[in-house]
Amino acid sequence: MRIISVNVNGIQAAAERGLLSWLQAQNADVICLQDTRASAFDLDDPSFQLDGYFLYACDAELPEQGGVALYSRLQPNAVISGLGFETADRYGRYLQADFDKVSIATLLLPSGQSGDESLNQKFKFMDDFTHYLSKQRRKRREYIYCGSLYVAHQKMDVKNWRECQQMPGFLAPERAWLDEV
């Protein structure tokens, strides 16, 4: 199975730069997109369709503030939108497609880079998502999570790691969370 995950940073602008033709050429079975910044209604437009794929989307209350989408060659048995907590569902941060033995999800964490409130929202999301994952472990399924986590995990993931230690995205609690997950 070939799976692609891309943070598109706005699907309309990415499509103008050739994203959809590139995706079509990749011959992937599942394509997970994050930060679409478009409503599910917008993505129903034929210009966002890929030949041979089903398209599913989860949008934010304000589309410019997040959103995820998933293209799949096979029609999933079920599609789950949202995680059941506000920091995920309000901003369209999670979409899961269930197939026979595996679930594939696209996930968009808050970046936490717009000040203390934004960082607190990110930490709240991380705590809530950890709780969600602990419940998922009880199920007898395989999961593949694709996403934009906005966390650099190790020193080798950033250019100047010493300077980055006090910056959201490379804070010790974020990296410890990623170790745990």
Side-chain angles (χ1 to χ4, degrees):
M1 177 180 285
R2 181 172 164 86
I3 302 170
I4 294 175
S5 179
V6 181
N7 182 319
V8 296
N9 201 20
I11 194 167
Q12 293 166 337
E16 291 170 9
R17 293 188 306 268
L19 172 72
L20 297 174
S21 59
W22 180 82
L23 289 174
Q24 189 77 58
Q26 299 310 302
N27 196 31
D29 297 298
V30 177
I31 301 167
C32 296
L33 304 178
Q34 302 90 38
D35 202 11
T36 57
R37 299 182 193 171
S39 71
F41 177 77
D42 292 336
L43 294 178
D44 280 340
D45 187 289
S47 65
F48 292 111
Q49 303 303 311
L50 295 178
D51 291 338
Y53 287 88
F54 297 95
L55 172 60
Y56 305 93
C58 178
D59 52 11
E61 285 179 6
L62 300 173
E64 64 275 4
Q65 293 185 343
V68 292
L70 188 142
Y71 290 95
S72 175
R73 285 199 188 274
L74 296 175
Q75 187 169 15
N77 298 334
V79 176
I80 299 166
S81 179
L83 290 167
F85 53 89
E86 182 188 12
T87 53
D89 300 349
R90 187 171 176 208
Y91 297 97
R93 297 189 183 279
Y94 186 83
L95 185 66
Q96 176 180 310
D98 291 345
F99 300 95
D100 289 337
K101 296 180 182 181
V102 67
S103 295
I104 301 171
T106 181
L107 170 71
L108 175 66
L109 260 70
S111 71
Q113 298 188 357
S114 300
D116 288 344
E117 183 178 329
S118 175
L119 187 58
N120 288 337
Q121 183 182 33
K122 181 177 186 178
F123 284 129
K124 172 80 169 112
F125 184 100
M126 292 162 59
D127 287 342
D128 290 342
F129 189 63
T130 301
H131 181 69
Y132 172 82
L133 288 176
S134 69
K135 285 194 239 176
Q136 295 306 98
R137 285 188 185 132
R138 297 181 199 130
K139 297 182 179 180
R140 296 182 179 230
R141 296 191 62 76
E142 297 291 326
Y143 291 90
I144 298 172
Y145 294 99
C146 301
S148 294
L149 304 181
Y150 296 109
V151 177
H153 188 213
Q154 299 176 354
K155 294 175 187 177
M156 69 179 174
D157 296 326
V158 294
K159 184 176 180 181
N160 300 312
W161 68 270
R162 283 185 181 89
E163 291 83 21
C164 293
Q165 291 181 81
Q166 301 305 314
M167 298 173 64
F170 198 63
L171 298 172
E174 293 171 297
R175 293 173 27 226
W177 174 80
L178 200 52
D179 283 338
E180 180 184 342
V181 170

